[in-house]
Amino acid sequence: MNKFSLETARLIIRPLETSDYDSWYSSFMNRGPSLTPFDDGILDMSMCDINWFKNLVNLQRKEWKSDRVYIFGVFLKSGEHLGMLNIATLARADMQWGELGYVFHNQFWSNGYAFESISALLNSAYEKLGFHHIEAQITPGNELSEKLASRLGLTYETTRKDFSFENGKWTDKLIYSINLHNNNLV
């Protein structure tokens, strides 16, 4: 796997490694109760032992090598795990189109980590991963994600009706997007 790593003033963004288990697990265990309808809050992590985590890391490496999904851990430079970012490949050939995803542990919200890490990833996604067009698919009502997408320079493109099957029903998605080539990002 490509040794992809980005650094910002406060953060390191890179694929997970087996040695990240303690930090990863600790951050999941220290999550607070749900803060919004789009926040899972406290999760049952009882099945997530070191062997489970090793399998997760290996699966993520396979996804990376197959060009299906590029998954990144976001860490403070001190090593604390803050959350995850990903870019899923939607189409290559003449489109170079990907979908941005992100999740941060709620105990770290309101510190600018999402903006800082996603900005760094978007600023590198064209050169390092070859993506030209990136979109974020946001559930209507998730105002925090809408504000973040806008702040990152993604613009509202459309609403895809009944686009994603979630919680037992078809759900609309708001599509925010950006073209990375020759685009001055944040």
Side-chain angles (χ1 to χ4, degrees):
M1 179 175 65
N2 186 355
K3 278 291 187 185
F4 187 107
S5 183
L6 299 171
E7 242 180 84
T8 69
R10 304 180 293 169
L11 308 175
I12 297 173
I13 301 106
R14 60 169 174 72
L16 289 177
E17 299 171 0
T18 303
S19 59
D20 295 324
Y21 176 72
D22 289 338
S23 174
W24 178 90
Y25 187 79
S26 175
S27 289
F28 270 101
M29 292 303 295
N30 289 314
R31 291 172 63 101
S34 179
L35 300 174
T36 75
F38 305 97
D39 172 21
D40 291 331
I42 299 169
L43 299 169
D44 177 6
M45 300 297 290
S46 60
M47 67 176 274
C48 303
D49 62 13
I50 186 65
N51 290 322
W52 183 94
F53 187 75
K54 286 178 184 177
N55 287 331
L56 174 70
V57 170
N58 287 332
L59 175 64
Q60 290 180 359
R61 287 180 180 163
K62 287 177 186 173
E63 293 293 306
W64 184 289
K65 287 179 184 177
S66 68
D67 189 41
R68 282 192 293 260
V69 184
Y70 296 87
I71 303 169
F72 306 90
V74 179
F75 299 87
L76 286 175
K77 287 189 174 176
S78 64
E80 195 166 13
H81 181 256
L82 303 175
M84 301 296 295
L85 306 177
N86 72 69
I87 297 178
T89 302
L90 298 177
R92 284 296 191 177
D94 58 349
M95 296 178 76
Q96 304 304 328
W97 176 27
E99 176 194 354
L100 173 67
Y102 46 88
V103 62
F104 286 83
H105 303 298
N106 60 17
Q107 69 268 33
F108 301 115
W109 287 14
S110 300
N111 290 296
Y113 298 136
F115 179 80
E116 185 175 337
S117 60
I118 296 169
S119 293
L121 181 58
L122 290 177
N123 279 313
S124 298
Y126 177 75
E127 181 181 320
K128 293 191 176 211
L129 300 174
F131 288 104
H132 167 69
H133 184 83
I134 296 289
E135 71 179 40
Q137 301 172 1
I138 301 171
T139 303
N142 190 342
E143 294 175 8
L144 292 175
S145 278
E146 286 186 70
K147 287 178 185 175
L148 177 60
S150 293
R151 188 169 171 228
L152 288 162
L154 283 78
T155 56
Y156 172 77
E157 190 175 297
T158 191
T159 298
R160 294 187 186 139
K161 296 290 190 183
D162 295 332
F163 186 70
S164 178
F165 196 74
E166 298 174 5
N167 302 316
K169 63 179 183 173
W170 289 101
T171 304
D172 295 349
K173 289 293 178 175
L174 308 176
I175 306 303
Y176 283 76
S177 67
I178 190 167
N179 289 330
L180 302 177
H181 183 237
N182 292 329
N183 195 331
N184 293 325
L185 298 174
V186 289

